[in-house]
Amino acid sequence: MDITRQGFAVTKKQVLIGRRHFLLGMGSFVGTDALAIASRYGHGKNPIQVTAQKSRDFSVAENTPLRNRAAAKGLIYGAATQTSILRSDTKFATRFAQECAMLVPENELKWKMLRPSLNSFDFTRSDWLANFASKNNMFFRGHTLVWHKSLPEWFKARVNSQNAEQIMLKHITTVVKHYAGKIHSWDVVNEAVFPEHGRADYLRNTPWLKFLGPNYIDFAFRVAAQADPKALLVYNDYGLEHSTPNDEAKRTAVLKLLERLKSKGTPVQALGIQAHLEGEAPFNTKKLRAFLKDVADMGLKIMITELDVADNMLPKNVLVRDRLIAGIYEDFLSVVLDEKAVIAVLTWGLSDRYTWLRDRKSRKDSASVRPLPLNAHMERKLAWYAIARAFDKAPKRGF
Ligand code: G3I
């Protein structure tokens, strides 16, 4: 990786951007593409002049993989991946084992993949991943037990208010016991909060809410705790990172949910912050820090569970784009890792060759997306260096 050559991209122009907080997390922008991005957020009343950053330094000492850099600080670095990818791409599998100390099945533990029918479970694919993790000295992590998406075809016809509790109980008990003693943590409930649905408790309208009422969350955690008292039990959600009104509302709503759960003794032990960051959206360092502290003050651990940076709104130029993405990684992680309750950072994929963003947030100019630490050829990008730098600078956790 030629850092100096990469560094060339943002040395030249000056950009006028309107709103101060836009800059806090964003690093630099150049050229007309940058102005187009800035115009989405930069129309505040106090325009300030911004000089595009000169050759922001993304260098690191030594070649040490991310897993070792994280471990040196008492942190875990890992990533999500899929059985089919690891089985078919040996180069990827080798790089995955080198860089990651934790593996999260991207889809294999979702109902759709695990439960071909109401009365059967198929652990073939997830067991393969658990073995891969174990052989390569990695933690294995569970995603996810209760979600409104990736439900099997039979769900709609077979699940109703009368049987939903039994079906959830059987699912959580069977799956959690299957991996008891082999799993680091479980996303017990995923994405249950959605203020836009307009409920007073901010919960999302899901089949689980409809069948079981708001207590389904507490129930799921209690069942999971009974099935494996040692796994760390996590509430996982997205939209908690940026300074947009939606994210502000989501932070408030998630804090309220966690407070409610804690007050009734629900065994929730950590918050999973997905961190699917939008390359063009601002984040506010102060608010993010305050949110992390509020969560930590509840006695909860924090995991960054699905980190990536969507680049569909960023300039096409790869050198510029990679610098922007790297800047966001380092700025975000620097804030997050200052909070000692944060114990792990997981990216949602490792290489740009395999990312959900290719389908979900593709670019209008049809250039390939570049949201992850390694490029499509498994080489380290500036994003990798940015994450490495954030680990190197992070305060050491107690061992
Ligand atoms: O397995 C089938 C395959 O047989 C078929 O040929 C193919 C055709 O498209 O589809 C395959 O299933 C897809 C599956 O990914 C495996 O690639 C599903 O259609 C597709 O919906 C599924 O998308 C996943 C999505 O969650 C929904 O479960 C993404 O890979 C996965 O990255 C994404 O992950 C979510 C987290 O679970 C929760 N947080 C947000 C995150 C991103 O959306």
Side-chain angles (χ1 to χ4, degrees), residues 1 22 33 77 96 100 178 186 230 249 262 322 348 387:
M1 168 70 64
F22 177 65
D33 281 333
Y77 170 73
F96 197 94
C100 297
H178 186 84
W186 270 109
K230 291 208 173 126
K262 291 293 284 180
D322 277 1
W348 204 240
I387 299 170

Side-chain angles (χ1 to χ4, degrees), residues 66 75 77 275 277 283 288-289 292 304 307 326-339 342 344-347 383-384 386-391 393-395 397:
L66 295 179
L75 286 158
Y77 170 73
L277 304 179
F283 60 86
L288 188 56
R289 274 187 207 285
L292 296 165
I304 303 302
L307 179 60
I328 293 164
Y329 266 110
E330 190 174 352
D331 292 344
F332 177 73
L333 285 178
S334 303
V335 173
V336 160
L337 294 177
D338 266 353
E339 173 52 66
V342 175
V345 174
L346 303 151
T347 47
W384 182 95
I387 299 170
R389 286 167 65 84
F391 285 144
K393 279 187 289 178
R397 275 65 180 155

Side-chain angles (χ1 to χ4, degrees), residues 125-163:
R125 286 170 290 220
S126 49
D127 281 355
W128 193 93
L129 288 174
N131 285 337
F132 181 91
S134 153
K135 268 193 265 163
N136 290 290
N137 199 20
M138 293 175 192
F139 292 107
F140 189 56
R141 171 169 158 67
H143 172 82
T144 173
L145 295 167
V146 178
W147 195 25
H148 60 285
K149 284 191 177 167
S150 280
L151 294 168
E153 302 295 330
W154 53 262
F155 189 92
K156 216 169 172 184
R158 303 295 300 272
V159 186
N160 53 52
S161 331
Q162 275 71 51
N163 63 13

Side-chain angles (χ1 to χ4, degrees), residues 215-229:
N215 271 342
Y216 81 89
I217 301 174
D218 172 74
F219 178 73
F221 275 96
R222 287 182 195 274
V223 175
Q226 202 152 30
D228 182 357

Side-chain angles (χ1 to χ4, degrees), residues 22-37:
F22 177 65
L23 298 168
L24 288 173
M26 291 304 292
S28 61
F29 288 91
V30 278
T32 48
D33 281 333
L35 284 171
I37 297 164

Side-chain angles (χ1 to χ4, degrees), residues 351-369:
S351 150
D352 294 338
R353 182 178 284 255
Y354 307 110
T355 163
W356 71 292
L357 292 167
R358 193 155 65 169
D359 299 327
R360 292 294 301 278
K361 290 191 182 172
S362 59
R363 296 176 57 83
K364 285 210 175 89
D365 57 24
S366 62
S368 308
V369 297

Side-chain angles (χ1 to χ4, degrees), residues 255-299:
L255 284 175
K256 292 235 160 83
L257 169 66
L258 293 172
E259 273 159 17
R260 281 201 305 274
L261 293 174
K262 291 293 284 180
S263 75
K264 55 180 163 184
T266 308
V268 55
Q269 292 148 352
L271 172 67
I273 297 177
Q274 292 187 8
H276 291 293
L277 304 179
E278 306 279 347
E280 79 285 9
F283 60 86
N284 179 306
T285 306
K286 219 168 145 189
K287 286 186 179 165
L288 188 56
R289 274 187 207 285
F291 174 66
L292 296 165
K293 185 169 183 309
D294 286 344
V295 176
D297 286 350
M298 277 186 237

